[in-house]
Amino acid sequence: MKPISSAYKDYILVLCTSGLSTRQIASKTGLSKSTIATVIKQHMPEKENHKIGCPLKLTLQNKRAIVHQILSGKASNATQATKFIKFIISTSVSTQTVRNTLKAANLKTVTKKKKSLLSAAHCYDLD
């Protein structure tokens, strides 16, 4: 990072406290976004960073409710837990989201044993 004058740093901090994003500050000052972010991080460590990505569909309380349904035996699989959680929250949640929640809670999936399609009555000896 090139050395920046203290007046320039103050200008960056004023723009940041006025509510501009690092991208907007970078376009106004002509500096890179990473330089702006470094200056803000050095002089305003208490500033909150915005989380990247989609907002979470399930709150921590909803996740605990799903795990409780599985552990108590009220729901035996992710599909049943999804139906349960749809009554609690208004937004739709996919079955995969519920599976991810159960996996994060260290619950393993159990695969059913496959039954043979042929029974003893269907099998005959060729000898």
Side-chain angles (χ1 to χ4, degrees), residues 11-21 24-25 28 44:
Y11 179 60
I12 291 170
L13 296 174
V14 166
L15 290 175
C16 180
T17 55
S18 68
L20 294 178
S21 67
Q24 293 168 332
I25 296 171
K28 281 192 173 203
M44 299 174 70

Side-chain angles (χ1 to χ4, degrees), residues 60-80:
L60 191 59
Q61 183 180 6
N62 294 337
K63 290 179 181 181
R64 281 195 304 260
I66 290 171
V67 171
H68 177 72
Q69 287 291 312
I70 296 292
L71 293 178
S72 66
K74 294 178 182 173
S76 61
N77 55 29
T79 306
Q80 291 174 356

Side-chain angles (χ1 to χ4, degrees), residues 15 18 31-32 39 45 52 55 70 91 111 114 116 118 122:
L15 290 175
S18 68
L31 297 172
S32 69
V39 169
I52 299 172
I70 296 292
T91 59
T111 56
K114 291 189 177 184
S116 173
L118 296 175
H122 294 109

Side-chain angles (χ1 to χ4, degrees), residues 33-105:
K33 292 182 292 184
S34 60
T35 303
I36 302 295
T38 304
V39 169
I40 291 172
K41 198 177 283 186
Q42 286 174 350
H43 295 285
M44 299 174 70
E46 72 281 350
K47 184 178 181 305
E48 247 183 68
N49 291 333
H50 297 288
K51 293 196 176 193
I52 299 172
C54 298
L56 297 176
K57 286 199 170 206
L58 296 173
T59 63
L60 191 59
Q61 183 180 6
N62 294 337
K63 290 179 181 181
R64 281 195 304 260
I66 290 171
V67 171
H68 177 72
Q69 287 291 312
I70 296 292
L71 293 178
S72 66
K74 294 178 182 173
S76 61
N77 55 29
T79 306
Q80 291 174 356
T82 303
K83 289 178 184 175
F84 164 76
I85 202 70
K86 282 184 182 178
F87 289 116
I88 296 176
I89 60 175
S90 59
T91 59
S92 64
V93 177
S94 70
T95 309
Q96 188 60 48
T97 303
V98 174
R99 282 190 200 108
N100 293 342
T101 300
L102 295 173
K103 186 176 180 182

